[in-house]
Amino acid sequence: MDVADAAGWAYNTTSPSKIFRWQGGAAAPAGPHVAPPVVPHIAGEAFRLTEWYTVPKGATVFPSLYESSFQGFQDPEAFDPDRFFSEARREDVSCKRNFLAFGSSAHQCVGQRYALNHLVLFMALFVSLVDFRRDKTKGCDELVYIPTIAPKDGCAVFLKQRCTKLPSF
């Protein structure tokens, strides 16, 4: 496996972005419904936030990274990696300012590429070397919010090694 191989793994390279968009990175350890810590801002001038609310000048504003990750995306709660590579949609470009799992501009996480590349490589190795199965059980589609999010049924997954000897890197 090398970088040239990874260029053709459309779903493998976009799935981590989707996961981080919905759940957040290390800054959001409690899951998607708890916003990661952000720097509060003071409104320099009044600005309209919604049709019914204007933030007054001087107000302290705590941005919600969780809520921003849903704005602008088509069907934002669906697991849809196509949104990041479909030439027709290109939500990775049109909604870039709302993809804040790793911060933005001067405050962007220096480990973003490492985290995404690490997940891509892990997923490629996992699906190549392991047969896995998850049976549908009561509660498997419901989430519980413990230090991270998890399926209510405990996420029982059955794994079987595909090869007799694992590769050595």
PDB file of all heavy atoms in Angstrom, residues 20-22 24-25 27-28 32 34-39 62-71 97-104:
ATOM      1  N   PHE A  20     -15.503  12.618  11.213  1.00  0.00           N
ATOM      2  CA  PHE A  20     -15.087  13.782  11.986  1.00  0.00           C
ATOM      3  C   PHE A  20     -16.095  14.918  11.872  1.00  0.00           C
ATOM      4  O   PHE A  20     -16.290  15.667  12.816  1.00  0.00           O
ATOM      5  CB  PHE A  20     -13.697  14.265  11.557  1.00  0.00           C
ATOM      6  CG  PHE A  20     -12.585  13.469  12.149  1.00  0.00           C
ATOM      7  CD1 PHE A  20     -11.723  12.762  11.337  1.00  0.00           C
ATOM      8  CD2 PHE A  20     -12.397  13.417  13.518  1.00  0.00           C
ATOM      9  CE1 PHE A  20     -10.685  12.022  11.885  1.00  0.00           C
ATOM     10  CE2 PHE A  20     -11.373  12.681  14.077  1.00  0.00           C
ATOM     11  CZ  PHE A  20     -10.505  11.980  13.257  1.00  0.00           C
ATOM     12  N   ARG A  21     -16.725  15.071  10.712  1.00  0.00           N
ATOM     13  CA  ARG A  21     -17.731  16.133  10.563  1.00  0.00           C
ATOM     14  C   ARG A  21     -18.866  15.903  11.526  1.00  0.00           C
ATOM     15  O   ARG A  21     -19.364  16.814  12.173  1.00  0.00           O
ATOM     16  CB  ARG A  21     -18.280  16.184   9.129  1.00  0.00           C
ATOM     17  CG  ARG A  21     -19.268  17.339   8.922  1.00  0.00           C
ATOM     18  CD  ARG A  21     -19.941  17.277   7.559  1.00  0.00           C
ATOM     19  NE  ARG A  21     -20.899  16.216   7.469  1.00  0.00           N
ATOM     20  CZ  ARG A  21     -22.163  16.294   7.897  1.00  0.00           C
ATOM     21  NH1 ARG A  21     -22.607  17.403   8.456  1.00  0.00           N
ATOM     22  NH2 ARG A  21     -22.990  15.286   7.762  1.00  0.00           N
ATOM     23  N   TRP A  22     -19.296  14.656  11.669  1.00  0.00           N
ATOM     24  CA  TRP A  22     -20.453  14.368  12.501  1.00  0.00           C
ATOM     25  C   TRP A  22     -20.096  14.255  13.972  1.00  0.00           C
ATOM     26  O   TRP A  22     -20.832  14.700  14.832  1.00  0.00           O
ATOM     27  CB  TRP A  22     -21.115  13.075  12.030  1.00  0.00           C
ATOM     28  CG  TRP A  22     -22.422  12.841  12.698  1.00  0.00           C
ATOM     29  CD1 TRP A  22     -23.602  13.460  12.421  1.00  0.00           C
ATOM     30  CD2 TRP A  22     -22.686  11.941  13.772  1.00  0.00           C
ATOM     31  NE1 TRP A  22     -24.582  12.995  13.248  1.00  0.00           N
ATOM     32  CE2 TRP A  22     -24.043  12.052  14.086  1.00  0.00           C
ATOM     33  CE3 TRP A  22     -21.888  11.049  14.486  1.00  0.00           C
ATOM     34  CZ2 TRP A  22     -24.629  11.312  15.100  1.00  0.00           C
ATOM     35  CZ3 TRP A  22     -22.488  10.308  15.484  1.00  0.00           C
ATOM     36  CH2 TRP A  22     -23.843  10.442  15.782  1.00  0.00           C
ATOM     37  N   GLY A  24     -16.795  14.953  15.472  1.00  0.00           N
ATOM     38  CA  GLY A  24     -15.758  15.817  16.008  1.00  0.00           C
ATOM     39  C   GLY A  24     -14.493  15.027  16.286  1.00  0.00           C
ATOM     40  O   GLY A  24     -14.502  13.813  16.341  1.00  0.00           O
ATOM     41  N   GLY A  25     -13.407  15.712  16.434  1.00  0.00           N
ATOM     42  CA  GLY A  25     -12.125  15.050  16.670  1.00  0.00           C
ATOM     43  C   GLY A  25     -11.818  14.948  18.152  1.00  0.00           C
ATOM     44  O   GLY A  25     -12.708  14.872  18.987  1.00  0.00           O
ATOM     45  N   ALA A  27     -10.961  17.046  20.174  1.00  0.00           N
ATOM     46  CA  ALA A  27     -11.471  18.160  20.975  1.00  0.00           C
ATOM     47  C   ALA A  27     -12.903  17.929  21.420  1.00  0.00           C
ATOM     48  O   ALA A  27     -13.422  18.657  22.236  1.00  0.00           O
ATOM     49  CB  ALA A  27     -11.390  19.460  20.173  1.00  0.00           C
ATOM     50  N   ALA A  28     -13.560  16.901  20.879  1.00  0.00           N
ATOM     51  CA  ALA A  28     -14.950  16.629  21.233  1.00  0.00           C
ATOM     52  C   ALA A  28     -15.094  15.198  21.738  1.00  0.00           C
ATOM     53  O   ALA A  28     -15.780  14.391  21.150  1.00  0.00           O
ATOM     54  CB  ALA A  28     -15.854  16.854  20.025  1.00  0.00           C
ATOM     55  N   PRO A  32     -20.994  13.807  19.522  1.00  0.00           N
ATOM     56  CA  PRO A  32     -21.416  14.899  18.662  1.00  0.00           C
ATOM     57  C   PRO A  32     -22.318  15.931  19.323  1.00  0.00           C
ATOM     58  O   PRO A  32     -22.408  17.029  18.855  1.00  0.00           O
ATOM     59  CB  PRO A  32     -22.176  14.172  17.548  1.00  0.00           C
ATOM     60  CG  PRO A  32     -22.700  12.959  18.205  1.00  0.00           C
ATOM     61  CD  PRO A  32     -21.624  12.553  19.185  1.00  0.00           C
ATOM     62  N   VAL A  34     -21.942  17.288  22.239  1.00  0.00           N
ATOM     63  CA  VAL A  34     -21.211  18.153  23.144  1.00  0.00           C
ATOM     64  C   VAL A  34     -20.176  18.886  22.310  1.00  0.00           C
ATOM     65  O   VAL A  34     -19.311  18.273  21.715  1.00  0.00           O
ATOM     66  CB  VAL A  34     -20.518  17.344  24.265  1.00  0.00           C
ATOM     67  CG1 VAL A  34     -19.708  18.262  25.150  1.00  0.00           C
ATOM     68  CG2 VAL A  34     -21.546  16.576  25.061  1.00  0.00           C
ATOM     69  N   ALA A  35     -20.314  20.200  22.253  1.00  0.00           N
ATOM     70  CA  ALA A  35     -19.402  20.973  21.414  1.00  0.00           C
ATOM     71  C   ALA A  35     -18.006  20.970  22.003  1.00  0.00           C
ATOM     72  O   ALA A  35     -17.835  21.051  23.210  1.00  0.00           O
ATOM     73  CB  ALA A  35     -19.907  22.409  21.301  1.00  0.00           C
ATOM     74  N   PRO A  36     -16.997  20.845  21.155  1.00  0.00           N
ATOM     75  CA  PRO A  36     -15.631  20.941  21.651  1.00  0.00           C
ATOM     76  C   PRO A  36     -15.369  22.338  22.184  1.00  0.00           C
ATOM     77  O   PRO A  36     -16.082  23.274  21.830  1.00  0.00           O
ATOM     78  CB  PRO A  36     -14.782  20.663  20.420  1.00  0.00           C
ATOM     79  CG  PRO A  36     -15.678  20.635  19.268  1.00  0.00           C
ATOM     80  CD  PRO A  36     -17.087  20.613  19.749  1.00  0.00           C
ATOM     81  N   PRO A  37     -14.365  22.475  23.015  1.00  0.00           N
ATOM     82  CA  PRO A  37     -14.094  23.806  23.556  1.00  0.00           C
ATOM     83  C   PRO A  37     -13.718  24.770  22.435  1.00  0.00           C
ATOM     84  O   PRO A  37     -12.963  24.411  21.542  1.00  0.00           O
ATOM     85  CB  PRO A  37     -12.912  23.580  24.504  1.00  0.00           C
ATOM     86  CG  PRO A  37     -12.379  22.237  24.185  1.00  0.00           C
ATOM     87  CD  PRO A  37     -13.442  21.470  23.467  1.00  0.00           C
ATOM     88  N   VAL A  38     -14.261  25.938  22.489  1.00  0.00           N
ATOM     89  CA  VAL A  38     -13.956  26.954  21.483  1.00  0.00           C
ATOM     90  C   VAL A  38     -13.665  28.263  22.185  1.00  0.00           C
ATOM     91  O   VAL A  38     -14.015  28.452  23.346  1.00  0.00           O
ATOM     92  CB  VAL A  38     -15.119  27.161  20.479  1.00  0.00           C
ATOM     93  CG1 VAL A  38     -15.328  25.933  19.640  1.00  0.00           C
ATOM     94  CG2 VAL A  38     -16.395  27.536  21.186  1.00  0.00           C
ATOM     95  N   VAL A  39     -13.048  29.156  21.476  1.00  0.00           N
ATOM     96  CA  VAL A  39     -12.732  30.466  22.026  1.00  0.00           C
ATOM     97  C   VAL A  39     -13.967  31.348  21.906  1.00  0.00           C
ATOM     98  O   VAL A  39     -14.516  31.508  20.814  1.00  0.00           O
ATOM     99  CB  VAL A  39     -11.551  31.088  21.249  1.00  0.00           C
ATOM    100  CG1 VAL A  39     -11.246  32.491  21.744  1.00  0.00           C
ATOM    101  CG2 VAL A  39     -10.333  30.193  21.344  1.00  0.00           C
ATOM    102  N   PHE A  62     -20.431  32.096  22.044  1.00  0.00           N
ATOM    103  CA  PHE A  62     -19.723  30.814  22.062  1.00  0.00           C
ATOM    104  C   PHE A  62     -20.156  30.036  20.832  1.00  0.00           C
ATOM    105  O   PHE A  62     -21.269  29.510  20.793  1.00  0.00           O
ATOM    106  CB  PHE A  62     -20.070  30.016  23.324  1.00  0.00           C
ATOM    107  CG  PHE A  62     -19.510  30.602  24.576  1.00  0.00           C
ATOM    108  CD1 PHE A  62     -20.194  31.592  25.264  1.00  0.00           C
ATOM    109  CD2 PHE A  62     -18.287  30.178  25.055  1.00  0.00           C
ATOM    110  CE1 PHE A  62     -19.673  32.137  26.421  1.00  0.00           C
ATOM    111  CE2 PHE A  62     -17.756  30.728  26.212  1.00  0.00           C
ATOM    112  CZ  PHE A  62     -18.453  31.706  26.901  1.00  0.00           C
ATOM    113  N   PRO A  63     -19.318  29.948  19.811  1.00  0.00           N
ATOM    114  CA  PRO A  63     -19.713  29.225  18.594  1.00  0.00           C
ATOM    115  C   PRO A  63     -19.950  27.746  18.895  1.00  0.00           C
ATOM    116  O   PRO A  63     -19.275  27.159  19.731  1.00  0.00           O
ATOM    117  CB  PRO A  63     -18.509  29.397  17.672  1.00  0.00           C
ATOM    118  CG  PRO A  63     -17.674  30.459  18.267  1.00  0.00           C
ATOM    119  CD  PRO A  63     -17.972  30.498  19.719  1.00  0.00           C
ATOM    120  N   SER A  64     -20.903  27.137  18.206  1.00  0.00           N
ATOM    121  CA  SER A  64     -21.180  25.711  18.348  1.00  0.00           C
ATOM    122  C   SER A  64     -20.604  24.976  17.148  1.00  0.00           C
ATOM    123  O   SER A  64     -21.126  25.055  16.044  1.00  0.00           O
ATOM    124  CB  SER A  64     -22.684  25.448  18.433  1.00  0.00           C
ATOM    125  OG  SER A  64     -22.921  24.053  18.342  1.00  0.00           O
ATOM    126  N   LEU A  65     -19.518  24.245  17.387  1.00  0.00           N
ATOM    127  CA  LEU A  65     -18.922  23.483  16.293  1.00  0.00           C
ATOM    128  C   LEU A  65     -19.836  22.348  15.883  1.00  0.00           C
ATOM    129  O   LEU A  65     -19.876  21.949  14.725  1.00  0.00           O
ATOM    130  CB  LEU A  65     -17.561  22.941  16.702  1.00  0.00           C
ATOM    131  CG  LEU A  65     -16.516  23.988  17.032  1.00  0.00           C
ATOM    132  CD1 LEU A  65     -15.161  23.340  17.256  1.00  0.00           C
ATOM    133  CD2 LEU A  65     -16.413  25.038  15.944  1.00  0.00           C
ATOM    134  N   TYR A  66     -20.593  21.817  16.823  1.00  0.00           N
ATOM    135  CA  TYR A  66     -21.516  20.735  16.496  1.00  0.00           C
ATOM    136  C   TYR A  66     -22.583  21.222  15.526  1.00  0.00           C
ATOM    137  O   TYR A  66     -22.811  20.629  14.485  1.00  0.00           O
ATOM    138  CB  TYR A  66     -22.164  20.174  17.758  1.00  0.00           C
ATOM    139  CG  TYR A  66     -23.266  19.198  17.461  1.00  0.00           C
ATOM    140  CD1 TYR A  66     -22.958  17.945  16.939  1.00  0.00           C
ATOM    141  CD2 TYR A  66     -24.596  19.526  17.665  1.00  0.00           C
ATOM    142  CE1 TYR A  66     -23.961  17.046  16.631  1.00  0.00           C
ATOM    143  CE2 TYR A  66     -25.597  18.621  17.365  1.00  0.00           C
ATOM    144  CZ  TYR A  66     -25.278  17.387  16.851  1.00  0.00           C
ATOM    145  OH  TYR A  66     -26.267  16.504  16.543  1.00  0.00           O
ATOM    146  N   GLU A  67     -23.227  22.324  15.834  1.00  0.00           N
ATOM    147  CA  GLU A  67     -24.295  22.824  14.974  1.00  0.00           C
ATOM    148  C   GLU A  67     -23.756  23.264  13.613  1.00  0.00           C
ATOM    149  O   GLU A  67     -24.396  23.062  12.597  1.00  0.00           O
ATOM    150  CB  GLU A  67     -25.043  23.973  15.645  1.00  0.00           C
ATOM    151  CG  GLU A  67     -25.926  23.528  16.793  1.00  0.00           C
ATOM    152  CD  GLU A  67     -26.994  22.524  16.372  1.00  0.00           C
ATOM    153  OE1 GLU A  67     -27.545  22.633  15.254  1.00  0.00           O
ATOM    154  OE2 GLU A  67     -27.283  21.625  17.170  1.00  0.00           O
ATOM    155  N   SER A  68     -22.573  23.863  13.593  1.00  0.00           N
ATOM    156  CA  SER A  68     -22.040  24.331  12.314  1.00  0.00           C
ATOM    157  C   SER A  68     -21.767  23.180  11.368  1.00  0.00           C
ATOM    158  O   SER A  68     -21.843  23.335  10.156  1.00  0.00           O
ATOM    159  CB  SER A  68     -20.757  25.144  12.525  1.00  0.00           C
ATOM    160  OG  SER A  68     -19.683  24.304  12.881  1.00  0.00           O
ATOM    161  N   SER A  69     -21.468  21.997  11.899  1.00  0.00           N
ATOM    162  CA  SER A  69     -21.146  20.865  11.025  1.00  0.00           C
ATOM    163  C   SER A  69     -22.367  20.328  10.293  1.00  0.00           C
ATOM    164  O   SER A  69     -22.245  19.475   9.428  1.00  0.00           O
ATOM    165  CB  SER A  69     -20.483  19.741  11.828  1.00  0.00           C
ATOM    166  OG  SER A  69     -21.408  19.130  12.694  1.00  0.00           O
ATOM    167  N   PHE A  70     -23.560  20.831  10.620  1.00  0.00           N
ATOM    168  CA  PHE A  70     -24.774  20.398   9.938  1.00  0.00           C
ATOM    169  C   PHE A  70     -25.292  21.452   8.964  1.00  0.00           C
ATOM    170  O   PHE A  70     -26.146  21.161   8.142  1.00  0.00           O
ATOM    171  CB  PHE A  70     -25.871  20.060  10.961  1.00  0.00           C
ATOM    172  CG  PHE A  70     -25.582  18.795  11.702  1.00  0.00           C
ATOM    173  CD1 PHE A  70     -24.834  18.799  12.848  1.00  0.00           C
ATOM    174  CD2 PHE A  70     -26.041  17.583  11.215  1.00  0.00           C
ATOM    175  CE1 PHE A  70     -24.544  17.626  13.519  1.00  0.00           C
ATOM    176  CE2 PHE A  70     -25.768  16.399  11.869  1.00  0.00           C
ATOM    177  CZ  PHE A  70     -25.012  16.428  13.026  1.00  0.00           C
ATOM    178  N   GLN A  71     -24.785  22.665   9.054  1.00  0.00           N
ATOM    179  CA  GLN A  71     -25.303  23.744   8.225  1.00  0.00           C
ATOM    180  C   GLN A  71     -24.772  23.674   6.810  1.00  0.00           C
ATOM    181  O   GLN A  71     -23.579  23.525   6.591  1.00  0.00           O
ATOM    182  CB  GLN A  71     -24.963  25.098   8.857  1.00  0.00           C
ATOM    183  CG  GLN A  71     -25.654  25.297  10.180  1.00  0.00           C
ATOM    184  CD  GLN A  71     -25.253  26.590  10.845  1.00  0.00           C
ATOM    185  OE1 GLN A  71     -24.564  27.412  10.263  1.00  0.00           O
ATOM    186  NE2 GLN A  71     -25.682  26.764  12.083  1.00  0.00           N
ATOM    187  N   ARG A  97     -16.401  26.004   5.071  1.00  0.00           N
ATOM    188  CA  ARG A  97     -16.358  26.847   6.272  1.00  0.00           C
ATOM    189  C   ARG A  97     -17.141  26.246   7.434  1.00  0.00           C
ATOM    190  O   ARG A  97     -16.995  26.679   8.564  1.00  0.00           O
ATOM    191  CB  ARG A  97     -16.829  28.267   5.963  1.00  0.00           C
ATOM    192  CG  ARG A  97     -18.288  28.362   5.657  1.00  0.00           C
ATOM    193  CD  ARG A  97     -18.687  29.771   5.228  1.00  0.00           C
ATOM    194  NE  ARG A  97     -20.095  29.950   5.499  1.00  0.00           N
ATOM    195  CZ  ARG A  97     -20.594  30.894   6.235  1.00  0.00           C
ATOM    196  NH1 ARG A  97     -19.809  31.802   6.770  1.00  0.00           N
ATOM    197  NH2 ARG A  97     -21.889  30.967   6.445  1.00  0.00           N
ATOM    198  N   ASN A  98     -17.974  25.242   7.150  1.00  0.00           N
ATOM    199  CA  ASN A  98     -18.740  24.589   8.221  1.00  0.00           C
ATOM    200  C   ASN A  98     -18.097  23.284   8.681  1.00  0.00           C
ATOM    201  O   ASN A  98     -18.588  22.653   9.607  1.00  0.00           O
ATOM    202  CB  ASN A  98     -20.169  24.308   7.764  1.00  0.00           C
ATOM    203  CG  ASN A  98     -20.927  25.588   7.483  1.00  0.00           C
ATOM    204  OD1 ASN A  98     -20.611  26.625   8.033  1.00  0.00           O
ATOM    205  ND2 ASN A  98     -21.899  25.522   6.620  1.00  0.00           N
ATOM    206  N   PHE A  99     -17.023  22.845   8.033  1.00  0.00           N
ATOM    207  CA  PHE A  99     -16.316  21.635   8.442  1.00  0.00           C
ATOM    208  C   PHE A  99     -15.242  22.052   9.432  1.00  0.00           C
ATOM    209  O   PHE A  99     -14.126  22.398   9.073  1.00  0.00           O
ATOM    210  CB  PHE A  99     -15.703  20.930   7.224  1.00  0.00           C
ATOM    211  CG  PHE A  99     -14.991  19.647   7.576  1.00  0.00           C
ATOM    212  CD1 PHE A  99     -15.713  18.507   7.879  1.00  0.00           C
ATOM    213  CD2 PHE A  99     -13.615  19.584   7.624  1.00  0.00           C
ATOM    214  CE1 PHE A  99     -15.074  17.320   8.206  1.00  0.00           C
ATOM    215  CE2 PHE A  99     -12.956  18.406   7.949  1.00  0.00           C
ATOM    216  CZ  PHE A  99     -13.689  17.272   8.243  1.00  0.00           C
ATOM    217  N   LEU A 100     -15.606  22.075  10.715  1.00  0.00           N
ATOM    218  CA  LEU A 100     -14.720  22.638  11.727  1.00  0.00           C
ATOM    219  C   LEU A 100     -14.158  21.605  12.696  1.00  0.00           C
ATOM    220  O   LEU A 100     -13.692  21.949  13.773  1.00  0.00           O
ATOM    221  CB  LEU A 100     -15.478  23.712  12.525  1.00  0.00           C
ATOM    222  CG  LEU A 100     -15.972  24.898  11.699  1.00  0.00           C
ATOM    223  CD1 LEU A 100     -16.812  25.828  12.561  1.00  0.00           C
ATOM    224  CD2 LEU A 100     -14.810  25.637  11.092  1.00  0.00           C
ATOM    225  N   ALA A 101     -14.189  20.340  12.314  1.00  0.00           N
ATOM    226  CA  ALA A 101     -13.694  19.296  13.216  1.00  0.00           C
ATOM    227  C   ALA A 101     -12.244  19.546  13.622  1.00  0.00           C
ATOM    228  O   ALA A 101     -11.821  19.152  14.706  1.00  0.00           O
ATOM    229  CB  ALA A 101     -13.822  17.936  12.549  1.00  0.00           C
ATOM    230  N   PHE A 102     -11.478  20.212  12.770  1.00  0.00           N
ATOM    231  CA  PHE A 102     -10.073  20.468  13.058  1.00  0.00           C
ATOM    232  C   PHE A 102      -9.783  21.969  13.168  1.00  0.00           C
ATOM    233  O   PHE A 102      -8.647  22.392  13.024  1.00  0.00           O
ATOM    234  CB  PHE A 102      -9.190  19.856  11.961  1.00  0.00           C
ATOM    235  CG  PHE A 102      -9.244  18.360  11.927  1.00  0.00           C
ATOM    236  CD1 PHE A 102     -10.085  17.710  11.043  1.00  0.00           C
ATOM    237  CD2 PHE A 102      -8.472  17.610  12.793  1.00  0.00           C
ATOM    238  CE1 PHE A 102     -10.139  16.329  11.009  1.00  0.00           C
ATOM    239  CE2 PHE A 102      -8.525  16.233  12.777  1.00  0.00           C
ATOM    240  CZ  PHE A 102      -9.357  15.586  11.878  1.00  0.00           C
ATOM    241  N   GLY A 103     -10.813  22.753  13.402  1.00  0.00           N
ATOM    242  CA  GLY A 103     -10.623  24.192  13.481  1.00  0.00           C
ATOM    243  C   GLY A 103     -10.547  24.791  12.092  1.00  0.00           C
ATOM    244  O   GLY A 103     -10.849  24.147  11.094  1.00  0.00           O
ATOM    245  N   SER A 104     -10.144  26.050  12.020  1.00  0.00           N
ATOM    246  CA  SER A 104     -10.027  26.700  10.717  1.00  0.00           C
ATOM    247  C   SER A 104      -8.982  27.795  10.757  1.00  0.00           C
ATOM    248  O   SER A 104      -8.585  28.253  11.820  1.00  0.00           O
ATOM    249  CB  SER A 104     -11.376  27.293  10.284  1.00  0.00           C
ATOM    250  OG  SER A 104     -11.742  28.338  11.160  1.00  0.00           O
TER     251      SER A 104
END
